[in-house]
Amino acid sequence: MTTVGTAPPPPMRLRELAFGAACAAAVRAAARLGVADALGDRPMSAEELAAEVKTEPRPLRRLLRALSCHGVFAEDEHGRFAHTGVSRLLREDDPNSMRDVVLWCTEPWTWDAWPLLDEAVRSGRSVVPDLYGKDFFAYLHQDAPESAHVFNRAMTRSSEQSARDVAAFLDLSEAESVVDVGGGQGHVLASLLERYPGMRGTLLDLPPVVANADPRLREGGALADRARIVPGDCRTAVPAGADVYIVKNILEWDDDSTRRTLQNIIAAARPGARVVVIENLVDDTPSMRFTTAMDLLLLLNVGGAKHTGRSMTERLTGAGLAIGSVRPVNPYLHAFECTVPGDGPARAAGA
């Protein structure tokens, strides 16, 4: 029977950390093999599961034993394995499934990049151009289409899940129009339009992204008559004149991209418009272990960074926005409620 032990002494804890790749690989293997999908509501032996997922029983038991040490699956006194709250999230059919996110965080390029973290720390820049001869997204879409597909699925799943929280959090009852800046496939926008039937919305993101926008927003969709889809780059221009601009999880790029995006929003917005910036923070929050890991991954792949509350505040106020409040949306997202003061385009030109 495998159990989750108590906190180990420091030497063993350091060994465990050094073997962290084994844990990531085990979670990835379970996701790719479909073990969580094969395991139902009753405990199953490794032999039964191996027959379902077409593996050898002995190595599968070793994989399950390793995962059970981390609370992913549980082994009973008869050597059978059962679901835990964590392992159920690896199922495709779970409403809160994180299978795609797990695969994205462990894609082949990550195993090339992580060993070069010391180089990224020395230089302060992405290691991807040295690895693959091009920047991260060019590599992803040109040379690694399977990883690009995994990325899109993971972002879609994450957006669907967080969209519900954002729509419940934001009070847009006084707004007539909203722009979702760099809004991906538009799940946040669709959720907001559903909640506020008198509001119109615009989705801005890169052409390949909005080409796969939420069906509710596209022609023939339930929200299409109130939605506009704009292919474009927020670092170049942003649709003008909206009451509210939402900026979610895109200001973690390099500083120049962040600065240009904020300037474009201010140039496009009318005085008094709301700008709601929603980000993961690396301050002392319940999600700090995950967010600090993502912070390092951003350094590796795009030369970006997660923000602290202070660094986010500095960038927003430095761009010319007035911050009214900072509040948690959920355990891993914070919303900066901002206002565009003065004369938007004139001020932005001098920012």
Side-chain angles (χ1 to χ4, degrees), residues 78-207:
H78 303 293
R80 299 174 303 181
F81 294 91
H83 270 303
T84 62
V86 178
S87 65
R88 287 188 184 278
L89 297 176
L90 288 174
R91 290 183 62 94
E92 285 269 20
D93 60 0
D94 190 277
N96 297 308
S97 175
M98 294 191 67
R99 180 181 183 275
D100 294 322
V101 175
V102 163
L103 293 176
W104 165 241
C105 292
T106 56
E107 276 296 279
W109 68 266
T110 67
W111 302 95
D112 292 338
W114 280 121
L116 302 177
L117 182 57
D118 58 325
E119 295 298 327
V121 171
R122 286 192 186 97
S123 67
R125 61 181 181 84
S126 166
V127 301
V128 168
D130 289 338
L131 274 172
Y132 302 120
K134 56 189 68 175
D135 69 35
F136 177 68
F137 284 106
Y139 161 74
L140 197 66
H141 292 289
Q142 295 170 13
D143 300 345
E146 290 185 8
S147 280
H149 178 66
V150 170
F151 172 76
N152 291 334
R153 283 175 56 95
M155 295 305 101
T156 297
R157 176 69 76 168
S158 295
S159 294
E160 288 172 345
Q161 292 169 352
S162 62
R164 297 189 291 267
D165 292 339
V166 171
F169 171 84
L170 284 178
D171 181 2
L172 301 186
S173 55
E174 301 298 319
E176 296 182 359
S177 58
V178 60
V179 174
D180 193 355
V181 179
Q185 295 173 334
H187 301 296
V188 168
L189 180 62
S191 295
L192 289 169
L193 293 180
E194 285 184 334
R195 184 177 179 190
Y196 297 101
M199 188 171 66
R200 301 183 65 83
T202 299
L203 172 66
L204 170 71
D205 212 314
L206 298 173

Side-chain angles (χ1 to χ4, degrees), residues 219-260:
E219 185 176 354
L223 303 171
D225 61 335
R226 293 189 287 123
R228 184 165 68 112
I229 298 175
V230 177
D233 188 337
C234 59
R235 294 169 294 185
T236 303
V238 172
D243 297 325
V244 181
Y245 288 82
I246 296 173
V247 190
K248 178 175 173 288
N249 280 352
I250 65 168
L251 299 184
E252 52 197 23
W253 305 317
D254 59 274
D255 285 346
D256 180 61
S257 294
T258 295
R259 178 185 55 80
R260 287 160 55 197

Side-chain angles (χ1 to χ4, degrees), residues 64-81:
L64 290 166
R65 181 176 58 199
L67 288 167
S68 296
C69 290
H70 296 280
V72 186
F73 304 108
E75 185 182 5
D76 67 17
E77 64 274 17
H78 303 293
R80 299 174 303 181
F81 294 91

